[in-house]
Amino acid sequence: MLRALKLARMGRTSPNPMVGAVVVKNGVVVGEGYHPKAGEPHAEILALRDAGTEAKSAVMYVTLEPCCHQGRTPPCTKALIEAGISEVYVAMLDPDPKVASKGLDELRAAGIKVHYPLCEDEAKGLNEAYIKHRTTGMPFVILKSAMSLDGKIATRTGDSKWITNERSRAYAHKIRSRVDAIVIGANTARADDPALSARIGKKVYYPARVIVTNTGDLPDSLKMFALQGETIIAAPSSAKASNLMKLERAGARIISLRLLDGRPSIADLMEQLAGMGHLSALIEGGGEIAASALSERVVDKVLYYYAPKIIGGREAISPVGGLGSELVADAIQLDRIRVRRFGDDVTLECYVKRDN
C-alpha cells in the first residue's frame, strides 16, 4: 500500500482524486498503475493492464475505494471482477456519494475478499482537497506566507525580495503546482506583478490566478494576463465598471463577490471557485486577504516560512492584517504541527483547529 501511495502522488488529477494501485501475485508485484489526470484511465485499470493475465487470482492494493459508476471512464469494480482479482486491500472509502461504500459492496457481492482500511491516514492526507470538496462543497484552502523571524513579510518600504532562501522558494513552487488556484490581493498584484506560475525543473504549471480587489483598479499590463491558464478578477458589484471592462479585455474572467464588513467575502470567493471545479486554493497575500480568510473560517492549513532575519519596524508589513483578536483566548488555534528545514529557513505546516 505504501508503494501504491507513492505511485498516486505522481498524478495531477484534479478534480479527480490521486489514486495508485499495485497488483501482487504469490508475493510478487505483477502490475502497477496510477491515475495520471482527469479523463484518463484510473489507477486500477492501468495496474490491471500492466499485470495482464497475471491479474487472475491476484491481490490488488489500491489507495481509494474503486469506483462503481460510469463517469468519463467505465467503473473500475467491473474491471476488477472481470480480471479475476481475488482480494482487494483498500486504504480509504471514497467520500463521493456516488461511490461511498457501494464499490466495496459490489466487490464483495462478486465474491472478492475486501480488506479495509489500510494506511487510511496517509491516504486521507494525500487527498485532503478532494475529501473536503466532496464532503462540504468547498475547496481545501492553504494560507501561505514567507517572513522574517520577527514576523515581517516586507520592510516599511514594501521590499520583500527575497526574505526566504532558494530551497524554501522551490518548495513553495511545489505547493503551487499542486493547487488549482492561487489567490492574492490587489496591492500584492500591483507591487509585485507576480506570474503565480509554478516552476518544477523544466516544467511550468499554471494554476488559476485570482486577484481580489475592491475597485478593479489594476493595470491591464500585469504579466499574468499574457500567460497560459485563467486569470480571475474577483470584485464586489460596487467596483468601477470601466476598470473591470478594461481587465476583461485583457483576458481576465470577472466574478462578483458580496461584501462582508466592507470587504470582499473570501468565503463567497471560495464557494464560487468550488463551483468552477477547483478543489484547492492557495492564499499567498496580502495581509488583509489573510485576515478575511481567517475571520471567515475558510482556511484549513497554514504554511509559514521563517527566515533567520530580523527586519523590525512598526510600519513593516505583517502576514495578517485586520483588527485581530482582542483576547489571546479568541486567537485561532492550530494543531497537527509539522516542522521542516530548508537550509537555515524553518517552515511550519499547521492545520486550523476546528470546534467539534
Side-chain angles (χ1 to χ4, degrees):
M1 188 62 80
L2 292 176
R3 173 61 182 167
L5 287 163
K6 185 175 181 180
L7 288 168
R9 293 185 183 94
M10 297 170 68
R12 296 185 181 275
T13 59
S14 184
N16 288 357
M18 291 182 282
V19 183
V22 176
V23 180
V24 177
K25 191 169 188 178
N26 299 322
V28 177
V29 172
V30 294
E32 294 184 338
Y34 66 91
H35 184 38
K37 64 179 182 180
E40 295 195 4
H42 289 185
E44 299 96 318
I45 303 303
L46 294 177
L48 290 174
R49 288 179 186 174
D50 191 32
T53 57
E54 291 296 307
K56 186 173 179 59
S57 301
V59 179
M60 176 174 282
Y61 294 80
V62 61
T63 60
L64 184 72
E65 177 184 8
C67 65
C68 55
H69 64 284
Q70 176 72 45
R72 281 186 280 187
T73 59
C76 291
T77 49
K78 183 179 179 181
L80 267 64
I81 294 167
E82 291 178 350
I85 290 290
S86 62
E87 293 184 61
V88 177
Y89 285 82
V90 176
M92 63 170 283
L93 296 179
D94 190 333
D96 191 318
K98 290 180 288 189
V99 186
S101 297
K102 299 182 185 72
L104 299 192
D105 291 342
E106 190 170 312
L107 295 177
R108 292 188 184 103
I112 296 175
K113 293 181 181 178
V114 175
H115 308 273
Y116 155 82
L118 179 62
C119 300
E120 185 176 28
D121 289 344
E122 292 90 335
K124 287 183 175 180
L126 178 69
N127 279 308
E128 56 192 2
Y130 172 78
I131 293 168
K132 186 185 179 189
H133 187 270
R134 289 299 188 274
T135 55
T136 70
M138 293 286 279
F140 185 86
V141 181
I142 304 170
L143 176 62
K144 171 251 179 185
S145 192
M147 67 195 80
S148 60
L149 197 59
D150 58 332
K152 306 298 183 182
I153 62 173
T155 68
R156 59 183 173 81
T157 66
D159 181 51
S160 62
K161 291 185 170 57
W162 294 102
I163 292 177
T164 52
N165 63 31
E166 289 186 8
R167 289 179 60 186
S168 290
R169 297 199 297 275
Y171 181 66
H173 275 264
K174 183 178 179 181
I175 299 297
R176 277 185 178 183
S177 76
R178 290 290 184 178
V179 299
D180 295 333
I182 301 176
V183 180
I184 62 172
N187 288 336
T188 301
R190 283 189 288 263
D192 298 342
D193 190 14
L196 300 185
S197 57
R199 297 178 295 279
I200 309 294
K202 294 183 179 180
K203 292 185 177 181
V204 183
Y205 300 91
Y206 298 96
R209 304 169 290 270
V210 184
I211 303 176
V212 180
T213 171
N214 269 307
T215 65
D217 185 16
L218 291 161
D220 58 3
S221 58
L222 292 174
K223 67 178 64 171
M224 65 178 70
F225 291 134
L227 298 177
Q228 296 179 37
E230 185 174 45
T231 299
I232 299 170
I233 303 298
S237 57
S238 57
K240 195 172 180 180
S242 59
N243 287 339
L244 299 179
M245 288 175 63
K246 177 184 68 174
L247 299 175
E248 193 170 30
R249 286 194 297 269
R253 176 178 181 176
I254 311 298
I255 63 173
S256 180
L257 299 182
R258 62 181 172 85
L259 288 173
L260 183 65
D261 297 328
R263 295 192 295 191
S265 169
I266 304 304
D268 186 16
L269 170 62
M270 294 305 161
E271 187 173 350
Q272 293 195 53
L273 290 177
M276 297 175 195
H278 298 308
L279 270 59
S280 57
L282 175 66
I283 299 175
E284 289 207 355
E288 297 306 312
I289 299 293
S292 294
L294 288 167
S295 66
E296 293 184 60
R297 303 290 179 175
V298 301
V299 176
D300 297 288
K301 188 175 184 177
V302 175
L303 184 58
Y304 274 2
Y305 299 77
Y306 290 94
K309 301 171 183 176
I310 295 177
I311 290 176
R314 287 185 297 273
E315 297 179 4
I317 304 171
S318 298
V320 181
L323 294 176
S325 302
E326 291 187 5
L327 301 173
V328 173
D330 296 331
I332 292 171
Q333 301 292 317
L334 305 172
D335 61 8
R336 295 158 61 190
I337 315 298
R338 183 176 183 180
V339 181
R340 294 175 181 263
R341 287 284 301 270
F342 297 102
D344 291 333
D345 290 354
V346 176
T347 301
L348 295 183
E349 294 183 17
C350 321
Y351 288 83
V352 174
K353 194 172 183 179
R354 303 296 186 192
D355 295 328
N356 296 324

